[in-house]
Amino acid sequence: MADEKKDDAGGGGGSNKMLIIIIAAVVGLLLVIGVVVAILLMSGGDEPPPQAAGGAGGGGGGGNPALNMRSGGQTYLSIGPTYAFDQIIVNLASQSGRRYLKTTINAELSSNNLMVELDTKKPAIRDTMISVLSSKTFEEISTAKGKENLKNELVERINESLVDGKIVNLFFTDFAIQ
Protein backbone atom coordinates (compact mmCIF):
# COMPACT_ATOMS: atom_id res chain seq x y z
CA MET A 1 0.00 0.00 0.00
CA ALA A 2 2.87 2.34 0.73
CA ASP A 3 4.33 1.45 -2.67
CA GLU A 4 1.08 2.39 -4.40
CA LYS A 5 1.18 5.87 -2.80
CA LYS A 6 4.73 6.39 -4.08
CA ASP A 7 3.72 5.41 -7.63
CA ASP A 8 0.71 7.76 -7.56
CA ALA A 9 2.82 10.65 -6.31
CA GLY A 10 5.58 9.95 -8.85
CA GLY A 11 3.15 9.54 -11.75
CA GLY A 12 1.34 12.78 -10.96
CA GLY A 13 4.58 14.77 -10.93
CA GLY A 14 5.54 13.42 -14.36
CA SER A 15 2.24 14.40 -15.93
CA ASN A 16 2.50 17.91 -14.44
CA LYS A 17 5.98 18.31 -15.94
CA MET A 18 4.72 17.10 -19.31
CA LEU A 19 1.82 19.58 -19.19
CA ILE A 20 4.21 22.46 -18.39
CA ILE A 21 6.48 21.45 -21.31
CA ILE A 22 3.53 21.35 -23.73
CA ILE A 23 2.26 24.76 -22.57
CA ALA A 24 5.76 26.26 -22.89
CA ALA A 25 6.10 24.83 -26.41
CA VAL A 26 2.74 26.28 -27.49
CA VAL A 27 3.59 29.71 -26.02
CA GLY A 28 7.00 29.62 -27.73
CA LEU A 29 5.39 28.72 -31.06
CA LEU A 30 2.87 31.58 -30.71
CA LEU A 31 5.71 34.02 -30.00
CA VAL A 32 7.60 32.90 -33.11
CA ILE A 33 4.46 33.25 -35.25
CA GLY A 34 3.81 36.72 -33.77
CA VAL A 35 7.34 37.88 -34.56
CA VAL A 36 7.10 36.60 -38.15
CA VAL A 37 3.74 38.34 -38.68
CA ALA A 38 5.10 41.60 -37.20
CA ILE A 39 8.14 41.49 -39.51
CA LEU A 40 5.94 40.88 -42.56
CA LEU A 41 3.60 43.76 -41.64
CA MET A 42 6.48 46.17 -41.05
CA SER A 43 8.25 45.24 -44.28
CA GLY A 44 5.59 47.14 -46.28
CA GLY A 45 4.13 44.35 -48.39
CA ASP A 46 4.84 43.79 -52.07
CA GLU A 47 5.37 47.39 -53.20
CA PRO A 48 8.91 48.12 -54.36
CA PRO A 49 10.68 50.96 -52.54
CA PRO A 50 10.60 54.29 -54.42
CA GLN A 51 13.75 55.18 -56.33
CA ALA A 52 15.34 58.52 -55.58
CA ALA A 53 15.81 60.93 -58.49
CA GLY A 54 19.53 61.46 -57.79
CA GLY A 55 20.64 57.81 -57.99
CA ALA A 56 21.90 56.09 -54.85
CA GLY A 57 22.40 59.34 -52.95
CA GLY A 58 18.90 59.40 -51.43
CA GLY A 59 16.01 61.79 -51.76
CA GLY A 60 17.97 65.01 -51.50
CA GLY A 61 16.73 65.79 -47.99
CA GLY A 62 17.26 64.46 -44.52
CA GLY A 63 15.32 61.66 -42.99
CA ASN A 64 13.45 59.00 -44.91
CA PRO A 65 13.63 59.68 -48.68
CA ALA A 66 10.30 57.88 -49.21
CA LEU A 67 8.53 60.52 -47.10
CA ASN A 68 9.91 63.28 -49.33
CA MET A 69 8.73 61.66 -52.59
CA ARG A 70 5.65 62.54 -54.62
CA SER A 71 4.17 61.36 -57.87
CA GLY A 72 6.55 61.53 -60.81
CA GLY A 73 9.61 60.79 -58.65
CA GLN A 74 10.08 64.45 -57.66
CA THR A 75 10.56 65.52 -54.07
CA TYR A 76 8.27 67.69 -51.97
CA LEU A 77 11.31 69.85 -51.22
CA SER A 78 11.08 71.52 -54.63
CA ILE A 79 7.39 72.37 -55.15
CA GLY A 80 6.80 75.07 -57.72
CA PRO A 81 4.19 77.84 -57.63
CA THR A 82 0.69 76.71 -56.68
CA TYR A 83 -2.82 77.79 -57.64
CA ALA A 84 -5.80 77.19 -55.34
CA PHE A 85 -9.10 76.21 -56.93
CA ASP A 86 -12.43 76.76 -55.18
CA GLN A 87 -14.08 73.91 -53.25
CA ILE A 88 -16.05 71.46 -55.40
CA ILE A 89 -18.99 69.31 -54.29
CA VAL A 90 -20.28 66.67 -56.72
CA ASN A 91 -22.51 63.61 -56.74
CA LEU A 92 -20.47 60.50 -57.41
CA ALA A 93 -21.56 58.09 -60.11
CA SER A 94 -23.66 55.41 -58.43
CA GLN A 95 -26.96 53.69 -58.97
CA SER A 96 -28.50 55.23 -55.88
CA GLY A 97 -27.00 58.69 -56.41
CA ARG A 98 -26.48 59.15 -52.70
CA ARG A 99 -22.68 59.54 -52.54
CA TYR A 100 -21.12 63.00 -52.50
CA LEU A 101 -17.52 64.13 -52.86
CA LYS A 102 -16.36 67.41 -51.35
CA THR A 103 -12.85 68.38 -52.36
CA THR A 104 -10.51 71.32 -52.59
CA ILE A 105 -7.66 71.08 -55.08
CA ASN A 106 -4.42 73.04 -55.37
CA ALA A 107 -2.36 72.77 -58.54
CA GLU A 108 1.41 72.95 -58.82
CA LEU A 109 2.30 75.00 -61.87
CA SER A 110 5.27 74.81 -64.22
CA SER A 111 5.66 78.62 -64.07
CA ASN A 112 4.15 81.74 -62.52
CA ASN A 113 2.99 82.86 -66.00
CA LEU A 114 0.31 80.17 -65.92
CA MET A 115 -1.62 81.86 -63.08
CA VAL A 116 -3.06 84.52 -65.39
CA GLU A 117 -4.25 81.87 -67.86
CA LEU A 118 -5.81 79.84 -65.03
CA ASP A 119 -7.67 82.93 -63.81
CA THR A 120 -9.18 83.56 -67.24
CA LYS A 121 -10.01 79.88 -67.90
CA LYS A 122 -11.19 79.11 -64.35
CA PRO A 123 -14.85 78.41 -65.30
CA ALA A 124 -13.86 76.00 -68.08
CA ILE A 125 -11.30 74.24 -65.89
CA ARG A 126 -13.80 73.96 -63.04
CA ASP A 127 -16.29 72.43 -65.49
CA THR A 128 -13.67 69.88 -66.56
CA MET A 129 -12.91 69.04 -62.94
CA ILE A 130 -16.61 68.58 -62.12
CA SER A 131 -17.08 66.34 -65.16
CA VAL A 132 -14.16 64.11 -64.21
CA LEU A 133 -15.00 63.96 -60.50
CA SER A 134 -18.70 63.23 -61.00
CA SER A 135 -17.91 60.38 -63.41
CA LYS A 136 -16.11 58.43 -60.65
CA THR A 137 -17.60 55.89 -58.28
CA PHE A 138 -16.83 55.56 -54.59
CA GLU A 139 -14.91 52.36 -55.27
CA GLU A 140 -12.69 54.06 -57.87
CA ILE A 141 -11.51 56.89 -55.62
CA SER A 142 -11.64 55.44 -52.12
CA THR A 143 -8.11 53.94 -52.27
CA ALA A 144 -4.76 55.72 -52.41
CA LYS A 145 -4.12 54.30 -55.88
CA GLY A 146 -7.56 55.51 -56.98
CA LYS A 147 -6.81 59.04 -55.79
CA GLU A 148 -3.47 58.97 -57.61
CA ASN A 149 -5.21 57.85 -60.82
CA LEU A 150 -7.77 60.62 -60.34
CA LYS A 151 -5.00 63.22 -59.97
CA ASN A 152 -3.32 61.98 -63.14
CA GLU A 153 -6.56 62.11 -65.12
CA LEU A 154 -7.35 65.62 -63.89
CA VAL A 155 -3.84 66.85 -64.75
CA GLU A 156 -4.08 65.36 -68.23
CA ARG A 157 -7.55 66.79 -68.93
CA ILE A 158 -6.72 70.27 -67.60
CA ASN A 159 -3.39 70.46 -69.43
CA GLU A 160 -5.21 69.87 -72.74
CA SER A 161 -6.67 73.40 -72.47
CA LEU A 162 -3.54 75.24 -71.31
CA VAL A 163 -1.12 77.18 -73.52
CA ASP A 164 1.21 79.21 -71.24
CA GLY A 165 2.45 76.24 -69.24
CA LYS A 166 1.20 73.09 -67.62
CA ILE A 167 0.05 71.70 -64.32
CA VAL A 168 2.79 69.54 -62.85
CA ASN A 169 0.90 68.01 -59.93
CA LEU A 170 -2.37 68.30 -58.02
CA PHE A 171 -2.84 68.28 -54.26
CA PHE A 172 -6.11 67.38 -52.57
CA THR A 173 -6.21 69.75 -49.61
CA ASP A 174 -9.71 68.57 -48.72
CA PHE A 175 -11.23 65.22 -49.72
CA ALA A 176 -14.39 63.93 -48.05
CA ILE A 177 -16.83 61.32 -49.34
CA GLN A 178 -20.25 60.94 -47.78
Side-chain angles (χ1 to χ4, degrees), residues 144-163:
K145 183 70 175 166
K147 288 177 185 70
E148 193 64 34
N149 291 339
L150 179 60
K151 283 183 185 183
N152 293 336
E153 184 177 349
L154 284 168
V155 166
E156 183 180 314
R157 292 280 306 273
I158 295 169
N159 281 339
E160 290 172 356
S161 64
L162 299 178
V163 177

Side-chain angles (χ1 to χ4, degrees), residues 53 59-61 67-82 108-111 168-169 171:
L67 296 177
N68 295 328
M69 297 301 287
R70 62 184 173 146
S71 64
Q74 300 169 333
T75 65
Y76 281 119
L77 300 174
S78 61
I79 294 176
T82 59
E108 179 184 3
L109 312 178
S110 60
S111 70
V168 178
N169 197 6
F171 303 102

Side-chain angles (χ1 to χ4, degrees), residues 15-28:
S15 65
N16 284 341
K17 288 181 184 178
M18 183 61 83
L19 184 61
I20 290 173
I21 291 172
I22 291 173
I23 290 173
V26 169
V27 169

